[in-house]
């Protein structure tokens, strides 16, 4: 994947001291690529499943926890506050708060066994933005504080989805596409999520009834 730079509509960094702190709380694509983020075996299934469960709209973040077999353990979705600064510290706090609501921490484990991934829905194209960098910083820090392994950061735009740093993506689902039925995105061995926030209750009921 070739990384370009596109200014985010939500990014308005000035030369003030506060802006310097904001810039420090984001990850550049090269830093993310060097962090050893584990590759998803089936990114399309992960994206389609989260899209079907949460039906995200623009400026919605979906954080999901996967087990060692890449099965969904828990997930939560929330809308980014329009007044929030593009700051990884703010994003970290939001992610951590939602992780704490849906799954116990693994801080007692010497090595993380579960992985958190983040799907963020935004306008624009697939190129990295400062907003993406702030979400990456926030995801990495939230995982450290919750005893999880930091996983993929995925953007969902009008053009499709992209796993930043991996060079993988697809045309569907998109930011505006109709979510598939949940049963179409799972296989027989996929468990019903233990806890889900902000998703589609009807879709979860259909999954639980299978």
């Amino acid at each position: 994947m070739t990384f370009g730079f596109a200014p985010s509509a939500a990014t308005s960094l000035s030369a003030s001291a506060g802006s310097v702190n904001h810039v420090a709380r984001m990850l550049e694509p090269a830093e993310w690529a060097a962090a050893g983020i584990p590759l998803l075996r089936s990114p399309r299934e992960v994206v389609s499943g989260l899209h079907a469960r949460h039906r995200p709209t623009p400026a919605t973040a979906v954080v999901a926890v996967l087990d060692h077999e890449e099965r969904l353990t828990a997930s939560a979705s929330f809308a980014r506050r329009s007044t929030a600064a593009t700051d990884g510290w703010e994003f970290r706090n939001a992610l951590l708060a939602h992780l704490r609501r849906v799954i116990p921490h693994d801080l007692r484990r010497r090595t993380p066994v579960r992985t958190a991934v983040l799907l963020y829905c935004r306008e624009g194209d697939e190129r990295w933005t400062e907003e993406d960098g702030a979400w990456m910083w926030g995801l990495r820090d939230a995982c450290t504080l919750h005893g999880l392994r930091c996983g993929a950061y995925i953007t969902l735009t009008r053009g499709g989805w992209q796993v930043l740093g991996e060079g993988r993506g697809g045309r569907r689902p998109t930011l505006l596409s109709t979510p598939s039925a949940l049963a179409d995105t799972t296989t027989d061995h996929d468990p019903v999520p233990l806890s889900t926030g902000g998703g589609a209750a009807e879709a979860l009921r259909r999954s639980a009834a299978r």
Side-chain angles (χ1 to χ4, degrees), residues 28-47:
E28 299 282 347
E31 295 176 297
W32 183 255
I37 305 301
L39 299 178
L40 287 171
R41 292 196 302 269
S42 303
R44 186 184 302 276
E45 290 185 15
V46 172
V47 173

Side-chain angles (χ1 to χ4, degrees), residues 88-109:
W89 186 80
E90 295 285 349
F91 294 168
R92 183 278 306 272
N93 290 345
L95 290 168
L96 192 57
H98 283 83
L99 284 171
R100 286 170 172 166
R101 291 189 184 113
V102 299
I103 196 165
H105 68 74
D106 278 345
L107 294 173
R108 293 183 181 87
R109 293 184 178 273

Side-chain angles (χ1 to χ4, degrees), residues 3-5 13 22-35 37 128-130 132-134 136-137 140 164-165:
F3 285 107
F5 176 82
L13 298 177
H22 292 173
V23 172
R25 291 191 288 256
M26 67 172 58
L27 294 176
E28 299 282 347
E31 295 176 297
W32 183 255
I37 305 301
W128 179 89
T129 68
E130 291 183 352
D132 294 327
M136 289 171 168
W137 190 98
R140 186 185 66 176
L164 268 67

